[in-house]
Amino acid sequence: IAENGTILDVYPADYALQSLNALSEDVLQTLKEATRNALIAKRDEVHRKWCEVEVEFHSNSYEIARRRLALIEATGDDELRIKRRLAQLCAENKRLHNERSALRKERTALERALVPYI
């Protein structure tokens, strides 16, 4: 990249990273900063998603606890209705748990990838 921003030549990223002598210090620094910024942005996006799912999971868990408490004194049709709702809530909680676990793993992987750039 020329000083005026014109692209003079393009190299594959893996070539550039394998042969660091082929890059000027400015280009190498720019590449590192761009990579770091991209990793931070992706990590923050995944973290926001994780937070949203975490809140939903705990809200759902609270609803499950309330239904289980109501089940203690329920009889007949009320008991059946509460058990059906509990089954739905528990299935939803399992899905949310799996989703938050996947997001946590993705966030951890991004944080590990970010370490060399800090």
Side-chain angles (χ1 to χ4, degrees), residues 60-70 86:
N60 200 44
S61 295
Y62 175 73
E63 182 67 21
I64 288 171
R66 286 187 45 213
R67 298 291 175 156
R68 286 184 177 157
L69 183 62
L86 269 173

Side-chain angles (χ1 to χ4, degrees), residues 3-59:
E3 288 183 17
N4 66 1
T6 304
I7 297 175
L8 301 175
D9 206 346
V10 178
Y11 297 94
D14 59 347
Y15 169 79
L17 295 175
Q18 289 173 5
S19 179
L20 297 179
N21 296 333
L23 299 175
S24 71
E25 187 60 35
D26 290 341
V27 171
L28 185 58
Q29 191 61 32
T30 301
L31 180 61
K32 285 181 179 179
E33 286 177 22
T35 302
R36 180 176 53 88
N37 292 341
L39 286 169
I40 288 171
K42 181 65 178 170
R43 181 205 56 194
D44 291 349
E45 175 188 334
V46 170
H47 182 68
R48 275 190 294 279
K49 287 178 186 176
W50 177 83
C51 288
E52 291 169 2
V53 172
E54 185 75 2
V55 168
E56 192 175 346
F57 174 82
H58 288 292
S59 175

